[in-house]
Structures are given as structure tokens and as C-alpha cells.
Amino acid sequence: EMVSDRRVTPDGVAVNTVLSACSHAGLVEEALRVYSDLVAGRYGAVAPDIQHQTCVVDALGRAGRLDEAEQFIDTISRPSEVTWRTLLGACRIHGDVARAERAVARLRKLAPRDAPTRVLMANVYAAAGQWEERDLERKNMDQAGVRKRPGKSWLVVDGTRHVFTVEDKRHPRIEEIRAELAVLGQRMKAAGFVPNTSVVLRSMADEEAKECHLCHHSERLAITFGLMSTPPGTTIRVFKNLRVCPDCHEATKFIARLTGR
């Protein structure tokens, strides 16, 4: 509509938003078509930049078209750290260890001490069950003095900020929170929730241990505390400094449905 309505001209942000939407919706061909139109100059003076190109890599990577994603990066004159990290993230999702190692080799030339790159590579090894390689990657991080930013979730209740970490033990009401979360977990399973234990990137003895670990992710603890501490029907707003894992993303939908929050 913006292209057909000559009063409004799409800018680079608009094109980037459409490409990102296509990526998240799995509309790879649409993303490629939009990028092709961008290159052809069909969006006025807007020229393709690294953000547009990274969105294309993301669309291809999410869809498992990793060969095409890597080939596309090779056409970019100066791919950024984010571009290579996007491919690395797709390699973790689809279990492509060899391609992940190639992406990391390129990333380390751009940013040798980049913690997210090393953590992602360790997660690729863990997802593939290569625990020795995963432990070695973590050991190399420690020896190089590279520190992973700890994941946190927090919310504000009655003017007080409550911060949670995974397997939190510091919050004064943590035992109550865990007990409430256990009851909530049973209700979720009865409603059809199936834990996605494949996202657990630690070597654990059995599925039950993995499920328990997922239940104590920081966002799950924060949401449960919010349920306990605020009036029914009010919004619970949780802030995070890292992405939500796929299991917690799905769990949050079930919790919202069951509690009317």
C-alpha cells in the first residue's frame, strides 16, 4: 500500500520490519521477493543495508535453508557480527555443528572476545550431545577471561523490584514460589502442556531432571511471583536481559490461558 500510495514512501525501517515479519512467520519466499524488489530499486531511494541482509539470513536460517543462508552471506561485502551470529543461531536450531564452527571462525576474526559467540557455540555442541566439546568451549572462555552475562528476569510489585535468576535461591519467598509453581505445572500438564526438554543444554540424568530445571528458569519464577503478589486479572509485566527460551515461551501462553492474565 505504501508503494502504491505515492503520498507515502517506505523507508529502510519499514522494509526491515516487513523482512523481519516474513522471517518470523516462515515466509521465506516473500522475504526473498521483498529483498529482490529492494535491490531492484522498487522502494524509492531505499538501498539494501546490513540489517536487511541479516533479516534474509535469518529467514533462510529459521527455515533450515542453511546452505542458501551461508551462500547469501558470501555475497555481502562486509557481513557484520550480527549476521554471522544469526547463522550460528540457526545452526544451533538445526544441529549443524560443522557450519557453526565455520561461522564461529569468521566471528572470532571480527570479535575475538565476544561472549555471545562462545556461548552460542557451546550451546550448539550441547544441543548435538557433544558434551566434551561443550565443556572445552566453556573452559576456553574461562581461561580467556570471557564472561557470559547472567540471565535475569525482574518485575516491580508495589514499587519494589524483584530480580530472579535461573534456579534462584536468594528471593525471600523462593520456597513459596517453587511450591506454587509445582501446582501450576500440574495444571499446565493437565491442560496439554508438554515440556520441551530439548532446549536444556546441560548434561542431565533423565527427563524429570530436565523438566525440573526448565520449571526454575528465571522468567517462570518471576511470573509465578507476580501471580502470587498482584490482584487477579491485572497484567504481569516481566522484564528480561536475554531471550526467552522456547519452552518458557510456550509455558507462558499456557499460564496466561489458565490464570486469565
Side-chain angles (χ1 to χ4, degrees):
E1 289 181 7
M2 293 173 78
V3 170
S4 62
D5 184 347
R6 298 183 183 280
R7 295 171 299 173
V8 182
T9 303
D11 60 9
V13 175
V15 177
N16 195 65
T17 302
V18 172
L19 286 169
S20 180
C22 289
S23 175
H24 284 268
L27 302 174
V28 184
E29 297 305 325
E30 282 291 303
L32 294 173
R33 181 187 61 76
V34 170
Y35 183 76
S36 177
D37 288 346
L38 177 63
V39 172
R42 295 194 177 97
Y43 302 132
V46 181
D49 62 22
I50 193 61
Q51 291 187 31
H52 301 131
Q53 292 160 336
T54 300
C55 278
V56 173
V57 173
D58 190 46
L60 291 166
R62 284 174 183 270
R65 293 163 61 169
L66 300 180
D67 280 340
E68 294 172 73
E70 189 172 10
Q71 290 165 11
F72 183 82
I73 294 177
D74 288 337
T75 69
I76 302 173
S77 58
R78 295 182 65 184
S80 69
E81 296 168 36
V82 176
T83 309
W84 281 111
R85 205 179 297 137
T86 299
L87 178 64
L88 181 57
C91 291
R92 185 189 66 79
I93 293 169
H94 298 288
D96 193 333
V97 176
R99 197 184 311 272
E101 289 174 338
R102 290 201 298 273
V104 166
R106 299 293 291 270
L107 271 163
R108 284 181 177 165
K109 291 179 181 178
L110 295 171
R113 294 179 56 80
D114 182 56
T117 296
R118 291 172 179 259
V119 171
L120 259 175
M121 191 64 236
N123 290 346
V124 170
Y125 287 133
Q130 298 182 18
W131 299 109
E132 289 185 11
E133 289 82 353
R134 182 259 192 191
D135 292 344
L136 179 60
E137 190 71 31
R138 288 289 193 172
K139 181 180 178 181
N140 290 338
M141 282 181 66
D142 290 340
Q143 290 178 343
V146 178
R147 296 285 178 264
K148 175 184 178 293
R149 180 174 50 160
K152 298 178 183 179
S153 298
W154 63 92
L155 72 167
V156 178
V157 176
D158 295 330
T160 301
R161 186 171 180 260
H162 297 262
V163 181
F164 297 88
T165 57
V166 65
E167 302 283 4
D168 199 288
K169 294 181 176 65
R170 294 176 300 174
H171 195 276
R173 296 182 65 187
I174 193 62
E175 295 305 324
E176 293 177 70
I177 294 168
R178 289 191 173 198
E180 183 67 25
L181 189 51
V183 173
L184 186 58
Q186 292 301 316
R187 291 179 62 196
M188 290 162 61
K189 283 192 174 181
F193 175 70
V194 178
N196 180 6
T197 56
S198 68
V199 303
V200 177
L201 301 176
R202 296 185 185 181
S203 181
M204 292 189 169
D206 53 39
E207 290 298 301
E208 186 176 348
K210 291 179 180 180
E211 288 182 25
C212 184
H213 175 71
L214 288 170
C215 281
H216 296 152
H217 275 189
S218 63
E219 52 268 66
R220 206 93 59 105
L221 296 170
I223 290 170
T224 305
F225 177 72
L227 290 169
M228 295 165 52
S229 308
T230 58
T234 56
T235 298
I236 297 171
R237 182 168 287 108
V238 176
F239 300 84
K240 283 187 62 65
N241 66 337
L242 298 176
R243 290 186 179 189
V244 178
C245 85
D247 184 72
C248 285
H249 185 82
E250 191 67 20
T252 303
K253 292 190 281 186
F254 271 82
I255 294 170
R257 190 180 307 138
L258 288 168
T259 62
R261 296 291 195 110

